[in-house]
Amino acid sequence: MLNQFWLHPRVDALRAAGDERPLRTLLVREFPIVITVETLLGLALLFVAPFLHGSARNQAYQAEVAEHSSIALDELPKLAPKEADASTWLWGTGETIAVIAVMIVGYWVSGAVARRRTAAATAAAAPASSPGDLIQA
């Protein structure tokens, strides 16, 4: 939404002002902070996601076992490592498709809202002419 409501109108204004640089060059030169923040967020996601696999599962399991047992904490059983099977791939693919669909719908909706807002602002800024104006005479 930040891109739709803040970045795209500024890029459109630069294009209307005659800036013909390629989009990649335009974005890097005119909006370096936005590009840097989005790159860092993407990299953070890529670096953090692998560490989220599995540890919480065992911690939750061991906490549940510890609640109902008198076993020493060092001897608590652990869950077996997860093994990928067909359902893992099906659920993962389904979740990925759902995320992509939500992103596409969000992009489409925010684009439609931005276009309506731009059209309303353009219509409000256009001078209204009346039949008696000299321009129409």
Side-chain angles (χ1 to χ4, degrees), residues 39-119:
T39 301
L40 290 174
L41 287 173
L43 289 174
L45 178 66
L46 290 174
F47 285 124
V48 169
F51 295 108
L52 299 176
H53 180 268
S55 67
R57 237 176 103 233
N58 261 323
Q59 289 173 354
Y61 175 70
Q62 287 181 338
E64 180 71 23
V65 170
E67 262 183 47
H68 305 292
S69 174
S70 61
I71 298 174
L73 294 178
D74 294 341
E75 299 173 11
L76 286 174
K78 289 188 174 188
L79 292 173
K82 288 170 52 175
E83 292 185 24
D85 59 2
S87 69
T88 304
W89 296 108
L90 288 174
W91 280 107
T93 302
E95 289 174 350
T96 302
I97 290 171
V99 167
I100 291 170
V102 167
M103 290 172 60
I104 289 171
V105 169
Y107 183 80
W108 180 80
V109 168
S110 65
V113 170
R115 284 188 296 277
R116 270 192 238 129
R117 189 178 74 174
T118 302

Side-chain angles (χ1 to χ4, degrees), residues 20-57:
E20 294 298 326
R21 292 181 285 184
L23 184 59
R24 189 175 309 157
T25 304
L26 178 74
L27 291 172
V28 170
R29 301 289 165 108
E30 298 295 326
F31 308 102
I33 293 173
V34 173
I35 300 300
T36 302
V37 168
E38 286 187 3
T39 301
L40 290 174
L41 287 173
L43 289 174
L45 178 66
L46 290 174
F47 285 124
V48 169
F51 295 108
L52 299 176
H53 180 268
S55 67
R57 237 176 103 233

